[in-house]
Amino acid sequence: MTKPILLNAFAMNTLTHQSPGLWRHPRDRSREFNRLPIWLELAKLWERGLFDGVFLADVLGPYDVYGGNADGAVRSGAQLPTNDPMMLIPAMAAVTQNLGFGVTVSLSYEPPYLMARRLSTLDHLTDGRVGWNIVTSYLDSAARALGQPRQRAHDDRYAIAEDYMTAIYKLWEQSWEEGAVVADPVRGYGDPSRVHVVRHSSEHLSMEALHLCEPSPQRTPMLYQAGSSPPGQAFAARHAECVFVSGPSAAVIGPRVAKLRAALVAAGRRPDSIKVFALATVVVAPTTAQAREKLADYRDYVDHEGALVLMGGWMGVDFAGYAFDQKIRFIENDAGRAAMENFTRGDPGREWTVREVAEHVAIGGAGPVFVGSPSDVAETMQAWIKETDVDGFNLAYALLPESFEDAVNLLVPELQSRGLYKTAYAPGTLRDKLFGEGPLLADPHPAATARRLSHSAAAAVVSDPVAV
Ligand SMILES: Cc1cc2nc3c(=O)[nH]c(=O)nc-3n(C[C@H](O)[C@H](O)[C@H](O)COP(=O)(O)O)c2cc1C
């Protein structure tokens, strides 16, 4: 088989993830998001389609850039209301054996100590199927809700994230040495000489802690990242194992992936040591004509205001003040840089008006829509992989669960018949399944370096007076 195509489902514990207005379609079941049955159904469906994982997005504040308030978000339900994504994972894990769970958690508002415990708990409960999408947030509304006047400057967020990772690796990789859990009725449960208090002191973080969880199957969960600005890519090149990219065309995505692979080499890692997933929405039906009809039907339900609400949040631009036919130009601000690049200088050959962007993002967000028969879509995917060097796709949905049902029932068998998609999961943890090189991070990743570091230098044993 040529390099297999990887597939992720992209979802969020909310009414409207990336297809504003489509919750009103008679076949859409997004309104069930507050209850478990739909999530259990989806988890089983994704696993039947041998999806590598589900990527759960999250935001910690409303999209209130559009019009200067959250009214548009409230009216359209654009990522509001939005529930905690982590809570879904144990339930979905209980009805699956192989599906991975990449959960978005922002490091801007929570100390590493608490983050490490919650993710270790999930890694235990899922038998090592958890991944962390490391984000620093992009909405000022979240910063204000969490006691800060505004979010920190774009590049500072990445500098703090770097420091945060150093601290959290200490908890996951150093606090409990290999062999620390003895579980012997005579010797006791743990061996105090192998359990350490770890310390971290920097401008932004101060911690003296013993990690509350014993080592989970992956220790450090699989690490995902989705920023594409230069500091975002430098961060990914040091830490990420999977990267999510999103842009409207292969012309935008190809150079971004090339820069990321080059950044990996500069960071001393292999260029293939990150799996890159491009956002895409698949509208597939038995024939090309039926698929096009389906897409036209979806478009009848689009809520343009909802689309501008989302765009405003991603780009940090209030589109309420723009005429619909106005062209979009690059503006530097503290929201997402890649989101702005996508529709401005990312493809110098293509200019976008506000209307065009609203129409584009209203079906599944900033990624392309692949529409057609299973064979059309399979060919488009192959062409995209060739042109961009991505490893797979992060599938957004137009209708829930219809878009995923179509992908699993129509597209997956087509990809399999072309030898482009797995026919069974690989065994082991999420990291084993995606990389086949063991459950733990290996050199030269900084988590592996942290594991190797001498505990005497970095930490004190529990019985030290300092640790009591
Ligand atoms: C496909 C994709 C999904 C993302 N999902 C989230 C998310 O759920 N929550 C979040 O706070 N940021 C999310 N982001 C934003 C990124 O983490 C990052 O903050 C943003 O792309 C800005 O970074 P940059 O300026 O380095 O590109 C996502 C980005 C992409 C491309």
Side-chain angles (χ1 to χ4, degrees):
M1 182 158 91
T2 48
K3 200 170 90 167
I5 296 179
L6 304 176
L7 288 183
N8 250 307
F10 192 27
M12 187 167 178
N13 196 353
T14 186
L15 174 81
T16 293
H17 181 200
Q18 301 217 96
S19 295
L22 271 74
W23 64 272
R24 301 172 297 185
H25 192 287
R27 291 200 303 278
D28 186 77
R29 289 174 51 204
S30 298
R31 288 172 76 182
E32 297 174 33
F33 80 97
N34 281 315
R35 301 191 55 252
L36 274 181
I38 183 106
W39 293 106
L40 304 187
E41 209 178 297
L42 282 166
K44 288 189 264 187
L45 173 69
W46 293 325
E47 183 155 281
R48 182 158 66 77
L50 304 177
F51 280 30
D52 297 284
V54 49
F55 166 24
L56 293 165
D58 193 31
V59 288
L60 294 175
Y63 284 68
D64 62 357
V65 176
Y66 182 80
N69 58 51
D71 292 358
V74 173
R75 255 193 307 273
S76 64
Q79 303 193 3
L80 186 73
T82 190
N83 295 341
D84 190 325
M86 276 186 154
M87 309 278 182
L88 298 174
I89 293 174
M92 290 197 283
V95 296
T96 53
Q97 280 81 47
N98 290 288
L99 185 72
F101 303 97
V103 62
T104 301
V105 196
S106 175
L107 56 71
S108 290
Y109 306 107
E110 175 170 345
Y113 180 67
L114 296 177
M115 177 84 81
R117 181 164 82 142
R118 291 200 296 148
L119 286 165
S120 291
T121 304
L122 281 179
D123 201 45
H124 278 300
L125 293 177
T126 60
D127 293 323
R129 286 190 278 148
V130 118
W132 173 28
N133 178 35
I134 309 164
V135 302
T136 60
S137 298
Y138 50 82
L139 293 166
D140 275 330
S141 65
R144 289 194 304 272
L146 287 147
Q148 298 174 12
R150 71 190 65 78
Q151 61 184 327
R152 289 178 190 273
H154 180 271
D155 293 8
D156 291 351
R157 297 205 297 275
Y158 280 115
I160 295 170
E162 188 64 45
D163 189 31
Y164 196 102
M165 296 312 291
T166 306
I168 206 162
Y169 293 145
K170 291 180 185 172
L171 292 163
W172 281 326
E173 302 287 352
Q174 290 182 344
S175 189
W176 293 65
E177 266 184 65
E178 217 47 57
V181 177
V182 190
D184 180 280
V186 178
R187 286 171 63 207
Y189 189 71
D191 173 354
S193 72
R194 290 173 190 248
V195 180
H196 308 278
V197 169
V198 291
R199 301 191 173 80
H200 188 81
S201 176
S202 63
E203 188 190 341
H204 305 289
L205 292 169
S206 174
M207 172 182 87
E208 182 181 300
L210 186 161
H211 186 34
L212 282 173
C213 306
E214 65 185 89
S216 65
Q218 302 182 104
R219 281 187 176 254
T220 295
M222 274 275 296
L223 299 176
Y224 296 78
Q225 206 265 349
S228 287
S229 62
Q233 289 204 326
F235 180 86
R238 257 178 77 70
H239 301 283
E241 301 171 81
C242 294
V243 161
F244 297 118
V245 290
S246 126
S249 63
V252 171
I253 294 300
R256 212 172 270 171
V257 178
K259 278 188 202 149
L260 177 65
R261 305 255 188 236
L264 272 167
V265 174
R269 294 174 70 197
R270 290 195 326 257
D272 65 351
S273 58
I274 283 185
K275 306 283 187 204
V276 183
F277 293 81
L279 182 66
T281 308
V282 164
V283 180
V284 62
T287 67
T288 311
Q290 285 167 336
R292 291 205 176 124
E293 264 170 49
K294 202 183 257 188
L295 178 59
D297 172 46
Y298 293 167
R299 288 208 185 282
D300 285 344
Y301 291 85
V302 160
D303 174 348
H304 289 100
E305 185 191 47
L308 294 178
V309 165
L310 290 178
M311 275 165 56
W314 296 333
M315 298 189 198
V317 174
D318 179 3
F319 288 103
Y322 280 54
F324 241 48
D325 291 315
Q326 200 168 331
K327 296 234 161 56
I328 298 186
R329 303 259 173 260
F330 186 87
I331 305 168
E332 189 150 302
N333 59 35
D334 283 326
R337 294 277 154 82
M340 177 76 78
E341 293 256 2
N342 279 337
F343 301 103
T344 56
R345 60 191 190 188
D347 177 0
R350 171 78 161 98
E351 288 194 318
W352 292 76
T353 64
V354 174
R355 183 197 311 278
E356 286 169 334
V357 181
E359 278 169 5
H360 180 88
V361 305
I363 304 285
V369 178
F370 296 155
V371 55
S373 66
S375 121
D376 297 335
V377 175
E379 266 160 37
T380 311
M381 282 184 157
Q382 270 184 285
W384 251 71
I385 289 183
K386 204 164 165 217
E387 198 175 337
T388 61
D389 192 27
V390 298
D391 298 282
F393 296 92
N394 187 30
L395 297 184
Y397 59 90
L399 293 196
L400 199 70
E402 179 171 296
S403 300
F404 292 121
E405 286 168 347
D406 290 344
V408 169
N409 295 332
L410 299 172
L411 176 63
V412 164
E414 176 70 26
L415 294 174
Q416 284 170 328
S417 75
R418 291 167 180 245
L420 293 171
Y421 194 72
K422 61 181 154 332
T423 50
Y425 281 108
T429 65
L430 180 54
R431 182 170 288 123
D432 289 309
K433 289 181 203 308
L434 278 181
F435 291 96
E437 293 172 4
L440 305 185
L441 276 161
D443 284 327
H445 194 284
T449 316
R451 196 178 325 126
R452 262 192 297 100
L453 268 188
S454 145
H455 290 104
S456 54
V461 294
V462 199
S463 50
D464 275 3
V466 176
V468 177

